[in-house]
Amino acid sequence: RLLWRCGVKRVWKQDTMPQEVDVLKISNDDAAFILGKSGRTKEKIARVSGAELDLFEQSLTLEIRGSEAERRRAKKYVECVMAQRVGPVTIDDDSEDDDLTVIQVPTEAVGFVTGSQGNFLRQVEEEWGTLMFFMSTNMRARDREQQGRRDFDGSEKLAIFGSRRGRRGAELKVMSAVETKRPGYFTREIQKHTSEAEGFASDTFPMDESELSYALGKDGTTRRKLARASGCIMEYVGQVAFICGTMEERVRARTYLKWLLKQRHGSVYVDDLKDRDDVTVVPVPRDAIGYVTGNRGQSLRMVEEESGTFCFVEGGRGESEQLLIFGSVRADREVAERLINNLVNEKMREDNDRRRYDDRDYGRGGDRYDDRRRDDSRDRYGDRGDRRREDSRDRDYRRRSPSRDRYRRDDYDDRRRGDRDYDDRGRDRDYDDRGRRDDYDDRRRD
């Protein structure tokens, strides 16, 4: 087949309409740059342009499939990637693709925005599905010619390619990074603003430091939670919240943000709860509400993180609390509802197990334990206890029967008299024995 620098051929697939393919002849170095690490650059170009890219390393050709607009965008992005390898990227702003946003980045913040080895820009591209280049471009050259070299503000232009929503999200991410390096660069004159446009637009909502810290959350988790639940782009640039999306998305995001800030001062009540189509109500027993929310709300935050919803407990009504799950996607709310019900069931099982355990220990188990203690006490101290009880009975009996003492004294005296009689008989025998010995001795002398 023929291969040329930029050729067009037709490819027929079974059961499909004929599809045009652009074929680019590239160098070996260009092939490695277009492919990128593990093929990520090629995948990124395909995702942003909407075209299909096939790179043949043996023949050093790149095939681009898609519609005319998709192929045109893909070729433009490939040329930008190849230009990065040899020098500055040159971009014309007269393209009809409407896929480019350019943002001014102050020179002292360029390194900060780029990140180590371009990691920050690559992360933003991955998050928002965009393609980003710093330009030393024809546009920048024209700016210098029009403004004059002395009036040039020393900023660099960052080109962002992609869909409108993706470009806006990436732009706000870069603005937030620049604002960290140069506070007030983008937000110095920004006031609170609510757009009346029905389509894609941006609202701004300034906050003080305490509100910003609460609305941001640890590592930005609260901000991401509100953005995902509302379906809106939400980014904090300095102390200003930028809320971007359709009218419905922006209204929902502003409402969620206001409810979040109200939680700092007390309970939140939703007046139009029955009229909303973005909420699921889960009644939670009051005994289980602490278990569901967790220590400092950690359990509920995990539910929000896993389901992409915004949850909080409304003021108590009756014997149960109302836990409200907000989100633009019903499937996400169903995931959160299932997770919360699992937590409630776990709490109920724990309580039931604890009651059965208490009944066993303090009911029948407690009686057996008391019996064992009484048996042990009887075995260990039984003899001593019996002697004490007998002595006590003797003392009581003596108190009740004074004549018993007299009889006991008479018996004692009788025994003493008997002993004296026995002693007298013993002395008589001794005397008789001495008399017999004396008679015996007299006979021997005779």
Side-chain angles (χ1 to χ4, degrees):
R1 68 188 166 184
L2 294 175
L3 301 174
W4 54 90
R5 174 62 185 169
C6 184
V8 179
K9 67 178 181 178
R10 290 183 180 273
V11 176
W12 281 265
K13 294 183 180 179
Q14 188 175 3
D15 299 331
T16 61
M17 296 295 293
Q19 189 176 27
E20 293 185 348
V21 179
D22 289 351
V23 182
L24 301 181
K25 185 70 177 178
I26 57 179
S27 67
N28 191 37
D29 292 336
D30 288 338
F33 218 69
I34 293 171
L35 188 62
K37 186 177 180 180
S38 302
R40 292 177 182 173
T41 303
K42 181 175 74 69
E43 293 176 358
K44 180 169 56 178
I45 294 173
R47 182 176 65 247
V48 177
S49 64
E52 297 180 11
L53 276 70
D54 290 321
L55 179 62
F56 301 96
E57 297 185 38
Q58 292 183 349
S59 59
L60 295 178
T61 57
L62 178 67
E63 294 186 356
I64 304 173
R65 296 182 177 85
S67 65
E68 182 179 356
E70 292 171 346
R71 288 185 284 113
R72 183 175 61 249
R73 289 195 298 266
K75 286 189 290 185
K76 179 172 59 178
Y77 302 158
V78 168
E79 290 173 355
C80 290
V81 170
M82 292 190 297
Q84 279 187 312
R85 186 176 64 84
V86 295
V89 178
T90 301
I91 301 173
D92 292 326
D93 60 345
D94 56 354
S95 174
E96 59 184 22
D97 293 321
D98 190 25
D99 62 343
L100 174 63
T101 296
V102 179
I103 179 175
Q104 299 279 356
V105 178
T107 303
E108 62 269 27
V110 169
F112 186 75
V113 169
T114 305
S116 176
Q117 298 181 355
N119 285 336
F120 179 76
L121 287 184
R122 302 294 83 81
Q123 290 175 5
V124 176
E125 288 177 335
E126 192 71 23
E127 180 180 356
W128 292 105
T130 57
L131 199 63
M132 305 170 70
F133 306 101
F134 270 107
M135 304 183 302
S136 182
T137 65
N138 292 338
M139 285 189 293
R140 186 167 179 265
R142 284 197 297 271
D143 288 342
R144 288 187 175 183
E145 292 176 0
Q146 294 173 1
Q147 299 174 8
R149 187 170 294 272
R150 291 183 179 179
D151 297 333
F152 184 66
D153 61 359
S155 64
E156 298 287 342
K157 290 189 181 230
L158 178 65
I160 306 174
F161 292 98
S163 65
R164 184 177 185 182
R165 181 178 288 266
R167 297 198 315 268
R168 184 54 170 164
E171 180 185 13
L172 291 174
K173 204 77 174 179
V174 173
M175 290 171 61
S176 179
V178 171
E179 197 74 13
T180 301
K181 194 69 176 178
R182 281 191 59 177
Y185 186 81
F186 290 109
T187 61
R188 185 173 292 110
E189 298 179 358
I190 290 183
Q191 303 293 327
K192 184 176 180 180
H193 170 71
T194 302
S195 175
E196 299 296 333
E198 292 290 337
F200 189 88
S202 299
D203 297 343
T204 54
F205 187 86
M207 297 179 287
D208 58 35
E209 291 185 3
S210 61
E211 291 175 336
L212 175 65
S213 177
Y214 192 79
L216 184 62
K218 184 178 180 181
D219 299 326
T221 54
T222 303
R223 177 191 61 79
R224 291 194 298 270
K225 171 183 66 180
L226 296 179
R228 183 177 172 185
S230 63
C232 195
I233 298 173
M234 181 178 290
E235 189 67 49
Y236 301 155
V237 181
Q239 293 184 199
V240 179
F242 282 77
I243 301 170
C244 308
T246 63
M247 171 70 80
E248 182 181 2
E249 293 170 346
R250 286 182 281 116
V251 170
R252 190 160 47 230
R254 289 197 307 269
T255 304
Y256 292 174
L257 181 58
K258 291 177 181 178
W259 286 341
L260 177 74
L261 297 177
K262 283 184 178 180
Q263 290 179 6
R264 298 185 305 155
H265 307 295
S267 300
V268 177
Y269 296 90
V270 181
D271 297 330
D272 59 343
L273 190 62
K274 295 181 179 180
D275 299 329
R276 301 187 67 93
D277 60 356
D278 62 339
V279 62
T280 298
V281 180
V282 181
V284 178
R286 290 194 174 183
D287 294 340
I289 196 66
Y291 187 85
V292 171
T293 56
N295 183 25
R296 303 182 69 178
Q298 290 182 354
S299 298
L300 198 58
R301 300 294 85 79
M302 292 177 63
V303 171
E304 292 175 329
E305 188 73 18
E306 188 169 346
S307 61
T309 57
F310 173 45
C311 308
F312 61 87
V313 178
E314 196 182 28
R317 297 179 181 180
E319 297 181 355
S320 63
E321 301 278 357
Q322 284 199 142
L323 196 147
L324 307 182
I325 304 173
F326 288 93
S328 59
V329 180
R330 183 178 182 81
D332 292 342
R333 301 201 306 270
E334 290 176 351
V335 171
E337 182 180 10
R338 183 170 63 253
L339 294 174
I340 290 170
N341 286 331
N342 290 341
L343 290 174
V344 173
N345 293 334
E346 287 178 9
K347 174 61 175 175
M348 295 297 101
R349 283 195 299 269
E350 287 185 4
D351 291 345
N352 292 334
D353 293 342
R354 189 177 297 111
R355 291 190 191 98
R356 286 196 295 269
Y357 180 79
D358 294 342
D359 291 341
R360 186 171 59 252
D361 283 352
Y362 298 104
R364 296 187 304 274
D367 295 341
R368 288 197 298 271
Y369 178 72
D370 293 340
D371 292 341
R372 287 196 300 271
R373 290 193 62 185
R374 284 194 290 269
D375 292 340
D376 294 341
S377 176
R378 203 175 289 119
D379 294 340
R380 192 178 307 167
Y381 305 108
D383 296 340
R384 190 184 307 168
D386 293 341
R387 287 195 298 271
R388 290 176 178 173
R389 285 192 292 273
E390 289 175 0
D391 293 343
S392 176
R393 285 198 297 270
D394 291 342
R395 286 193 296 271
D396 294 341
Y397 183 73
R398 286 196 299 269
R399 293 192 192 99
R400 290 193 300 269
S401 304
S403 61
R404 182 177 177 85
D405 294 337
R406 185 176 67 253
Y407 295 146
R408 295 181 69 180
R409 284 195 298 271
D410 292 342
D411 293 341
Y412 178 73
D413 293 340
D414 292 340
R415 284 198 300 271
R416 292 192 63 185
R417 294 191 197 98
D419 292 340
R420 284 196 296 271
D421 293 340
Y422 178 79
D423 293 338
D424 292 340
R425 285 195 300 272
R427 291 192 196 97
D428 293 341
R429 276 198 301 272
D430 294 340
Y431 180 77
D432 293 340
D433 290 339
R434 283 197 302 272
R436 292 190 192 98
R437 283 195 297 273
D438 293 341
D439 293 341
Y440 177 75
D441 293 337
D442 292 341
R443 282 196 299 270
R444 289 191 64 181
R445 290 190 196 98
D446 294 342

